[in-house]
mmCIF file of all heavy atoms in Angstrom:
data_model
loop_
_atom_site.group_PDB
_atom_site.id
_atom_site.type_symbol
_atom_site.label_atom_id
_atom_site.label_comp_id
_atom_site.label_asym_id
_atom_site.label_seq_id
_atom_site.Cartn_x
_atom_site.Cartn_y
_atom_site.Cartn_z
ATOM 1 N N VAL A 8 101.048 97.989 90.154
ATOM 2 C CA VAL A 8 101.450 98.321 91.505
ATOM 3 C C VAL A 8 101.215 97.104 92.413
ATOM 4 O O VAL A 8 102.051 96.745 93.240
ATOM 5 C CB VAL A 8 100.680 99.554 92.043
ATOM 6 C CG1 VAL A 8 100.922 99.782 93.503
ATOM 7 C CG2 VAL A 8 101.014 100.789 91.230
ATOM 8 N N PHE A 9 100.073 96.440 92.253
ATOM 9 C CA PHE A 9 99.801 95.236 93.038
ATOM 10 C C PHE A 9 100.803 94.138 92.732
ATOM 11 O O PHE A 9 101.333 93.483 93.656
ATOM 12 C CB PHE A 9 98.356 94.780 92.721
ATOM 13 C CG PHE A 9 97.986 93.508 93.487
ATOM 14 C CD1 PHE A 9 97.720 93.539 94.815
ATOM 15 C CD2 PHE A 9 97.894 92.282 92.781
ATOM 16 C CE1 PHE A 9 97.389 92.397 95.495
ATOM 17 C CE2 PHE A 9 97.532 91.132 93.480
ATOM 18 C CZ PHE A 9 97.279 91.192 94.818
ATOM 19 N N GLU A 10 101.104 93.892 91.443
ATOM 20 C CA GLU A 10 102.065 92.898 91.081
ATOM 21 C C GLU A 10 103.455 93.204 91.654
ATOM 22 O O GLU A 10 104.100 92.279 92.194
ATOM 23 C CB GLU A 10 102.173 92.807 89.555
ATOM 24 C CG GLU A 10 100.952 92.263 88.866
ATOM 25 C CD GLU A 10 101.000 92.334 87.395
ATOM 26 O OE1 GLU A 10 102.109 92.556 86.839
ATOM 27 O OE2 GLU A 10 99.963 92.110 86.725
ATOM 28 N N HIS A 11 103.861 94.433 91.584
ATOM 29 C CA HIS A 11 105.195 94.799 92.139
ATOM 30 C C HIS A 11 105.220 94.674 93.650
ATOM 31 O O HIS A 11 106.266 94.272 94.204
ATOM 32 C CB HIS A 11 105.584 96.211 91.697
ATOM 33 C CG HIS A 11 105.929 96.313 90.255
ATOM 34 N ND1 HIS A 11 107.063 95.719 89.726
ATOM 35 C CD2 HIS A 11 105.278 96.897 89.254
ATOM 36 C CE1 HIS A 11 107.101 95.949 88.436
ATOM 37 N NE2 HIS A 11 106.043 96.673 88.113
ATOM 38 N N SER A 12 104.122 94.955 94.323
ATOM 39 C CA SER A 12 104.089 94.800 95.798
ATOM 40 C C SER A 12 104.274 93.362 96.194
ATOM 41 O O SER A 12 104.972 93.054 97.159
ATOM 42 C CB SER A 12 102.832 95.374 96.386
ATOM 43 O OG SER A 12 101.702 94.598 96.047
ATOM 44 N N ILE A 13 103.670 92.441 95.434
ATOM 45 C CA ILE A 13 103.870 91.002 95.727
ATOM 46 C C ILE A 13 105.270 90.588 95.416
ATOM 47 O O ILE A 13 105.947 89.915 96.221
ATOM 48 C CB ILE A 13 102.846 90.149 94.918
ATOM 49 C CG1 ILE A 13 101.441 90.397 95.422
ATOM 50 C CG2 ILE A 13 103.196 88.678 94.991
ATOM 51 C CD1 ILE A 13 100.347 89.772 94.620
ATOM 52 N N THR A 14 105.790 90.993 94.262
ATOM 53 C CA THR A 14 107.132 90.659 93.856
ATOM 54 C C THR A 14 108.172 91.171 94.876
ATOM 55 O O THR A 14 109.068 90.428 95.276
ATOM 56 C CB THR A 14 107.481 91.184 92.454
ATOM 57 O OG1 THR A 14 106.478 90.688 91.541
ATOM 58 C CG2 THR A 14 108.839 90.809 91.990
ATOM 59 N N ASP A 15 108.036 92.396 95.291
ATOM 60 C CA ASP A 15 108.958 92.976 96.258
ATOM 61 C C ASP A 15 108.993 92.207 97.581
ATOM 62 O O ASP A 15 110.003 92.169 98.260
ATOM 63 C CB ASP A 15 108.591 94.441 96.524
ATOM 64 C CG ASP A 15 108.871 95.310 95.306
ATOM 65 O OD1 ASP A 15 109.567 94.855 94.360
ATOM 66 O OD2 ASP A 15 108.347 96.464 95.291
ATOM 67 N N LYS A 16 107.831 91.657 97.955
ATOM 68 C CA LYS A 16 107.786 90.911 99.224
ATOM 69 C C LYS A 16 108.505 89.581 99.189
ATOM 70 O O LYS A 16 109.035 89.119 100.196
ATOM 71 C CB LYS A 16 106.314 90.658 99.648
ATOM 72 C CG LYS A 16 105.604 91.909 100.060
ATOM 73 C CD LYS A 16 104.176 91.628 100.452
ATOM 74 C CE LYS A 16 103.481 92.915 100.804
ATOM 75 N NZ LYS A 16 102.058 92.707 101.099
ATOM 76 N N ILE A 17 108.559 88.961 98.026
ATOM 77 C CA ILE A 17 109.147 87.622 97.971
ATOM 78 C C ILE A 17 110.511 87.557 97.298
ATOM 79 O O ILE A 17 111.204 86.507 97.347
ATOM 80 C CB ILE A 17 108.191 86.606 97.267
ATOM 81 C CG1 ILE A 17 107.962 86.995 95.841
ATOM 82 C CG2 ILE A 17 106.927 86.472 98.029
ATOM 83 C CD1 ILE A 17 107.247 85.959 95.005
ATOM 84 N N ILE A 18 110.982 88.635 96.662
ATOM 85 C CA ILE A 18 112.211 88.567 95.886
ATOM 86 C C ILE A 18 113.443 88.227 96.746
ATOM 87 O O ILE A 18 114.304 87.465 96.333
ATOM 88 C CB ILE A 18 112.462 89.888 95.092
ATOM 89 C CG1 ILE A 18 113.455 89.687 93.982
ATOM 90 C CG2 ILE A 18 112.897 91.027 95.979
ATOM 91 C CD1 ILE A 18 112.943 88.890 92.833
ATOM 92 N N SER A 19 113.510 88.740 97.971
ATOM 93 C CA SER A 19 114.650 88.439 98.827
ATOM 94 C C SER A 19 114.642 86.951 99.207
ATOM 95 O O SER A 19 115.715 86.311 99.259
ATOM 96 C CB SER A 19 114.683 89.310 100.088
ATOM 97 O OG SER A 19 113.531 89.077 100.854
#
Side-chain angles (χ1 to χ4, degrees):
V8 172
F9 178 73
E10 291 173 13
H11 288 292
S12 69
I13 292 173
T14 303
D15 292 344
K16 289 179 182 177
I17 63 170
I18 198 73
S19 63

